[in-house]
Amino acid sequence: MKWVSFNYKGNEQYGMYNEHEKTVVNVSALKDAPKTLLEAIGQPEFLEKAVLAAGSASKIQESEVKMLAPIPRPSKNIFCVGKNYRDHAIEMGGEASVPEHPMIFTKAPTTVSANHDVIPAYESLTEYLDYEGELAVIIGKRGKAIAREDALHYVFGYTIINDVTARDIQNRHKQYFLGKSLDATCPMGPWIVTKEEIADPHHLDITTKVNGEIRQQSNTSQFIFPIDEIIHVLSRGMTLEPGDIIATGTPAGVGFAMNPKGTLQSGDTVDITIEGVGVLSNKVE
């Protein structure tokens, strides 16, 4: 099942996307529907009814809507895991930078943008705007102190994130938040694939291309910290809620680590493909 948010006739709505038919079942139009997909994720009984009612619900052609990020406005910062692939940790700082514990930072909710939206080049602010292709986890139910063995039961689904980063701002401030939180530097989408569609989130191919050139190519089996451990660590003293977003880290091949540097320039196109999830594509302007 693919869940999407979209703009239709000037209103934000959400529903189930049929990739074969290129249509959207407008779940927002159902009786007693929550206003947003973010709210609906926290109401599993409604989502179950929506799936059963899909056959009789109204359908809209994809060409009639403007697709949005699946969660256009998260209720809190996006959780991100730094250096969660050993090869990326080494390319950014050598063996000494491989973490012993999950490195957690966040991106502001205002960073979120959609598939095919423009990534601003921010040429007056940064010389090193970089890409990071990542699998993202969407939390499906509220929980705290979640045991590792139960953690995947708290997942609603998966999407793709490009954790666009201003490397010089990140380095200048000695922390990640400012360099990670420029507006529209978290393209997300194109949809949320429910967890039932992904047999094993720890065995998915991930590829990032810039202007058609492969820059990152790996598999989520290379995570240092798997998803269940990340959820367990985050929830030890903090409540996770439906719709929370966790970006699980990026593999080696970022532009800043190249020689010469291959960071993003105006006119570049970034395509991130994750097996079983889809393709996230954005142009820098």
Side-chain angles (χ1 to χ4, degrees), residues 17 39 41-42 50 59 67 75 127 175 183 220 225 257-258:
Y17 180 66
E39 295 176 18
I41 289 171
K59 295 183 180 180
M67 290 293 190
S75 60
E127 295 182 28
Q175 48 75 44
D183 286 352
T220 56
F225 308 104
M258 296 172 65

Side-chain angles (χ1 to χ4, degrees), residues 50-206:
V51 171
L52 294 174
S56 58
S58 61
K59 295 183 180 180
I60 308 170
Q61 292 295 318
E62 182 181 5
S63 58
E64 298 181 58
V65 307
K66 165 65 171 73
M67 290 293 190
L68 306 173
I71 302 177
R73 178 69 186 203
S75 60
K76 63 179 71 165
N77 285 2
I78 299 156
F79 300 111
C80 303
V81 185
K83 299 181 179 179
N84 198 24
Y85 291 76
R86 183 181 181 86
D87 55 2
H88 174 58
I90 291 172
E91 76 174 352
M92 296 299 282
E95 286 282 353
S97 71
V98 176
E100 296 182 8
H101 305 281
M103 294 176 57
I104 306 298
F105 60 92
T106 64
K107 293 175 76 81
T110 45
T111 59
V112 171
S113 62
N115 185 39
H116 297 309
D117 279 357
V118 166
I119 300 170
Y122 286 111
E123 292 168 340
S124 64
L125 293 179
T126 178
E127 295 182 28
Y128 301 113
L129 193 70
D130 212 350
Y131 53 85
E132 293 191 7
E134 308 196 16
L135 176 70
V137 177
I138 310 299
I139 295 297
K141 62 180 181 179
R142 185 182 178 91
K144 185 176 180 180
I146 300 168
R148 282 193 64 172
E149 57 267 28
D150 297 328
L152 293 184
H153 296 300
Y154 286 77
V155 173
F156 174 73
Y158 303 92
T159 190
I160 305 171
I161 275 179
N162 187 352
D163 177 17
V164 178
T165 306
R167 298 291 184 194
D168 40 2
I169 297 176
Q170 176 185 353
N171 292 336
R172 182 184 312 138
H173 289 274
K174 309 301 181 186
Q175 48 75 44
Y176 288 6
F177 187 70
L178 286 180
K180 298 280 189 177
S181 289
L182 301 179
D183 286 352
T185 57
C186 188
M188 180 194 306
W191 40 63
I192 297 171
V193 176
T194 52
K195 65 181 178 183
E196 293 79 13
E197 300 293 317
I198 303 295
D200 182 3
H202 299 106
H203 195 73
L204 303 176
D205 288 335
I206 177 170

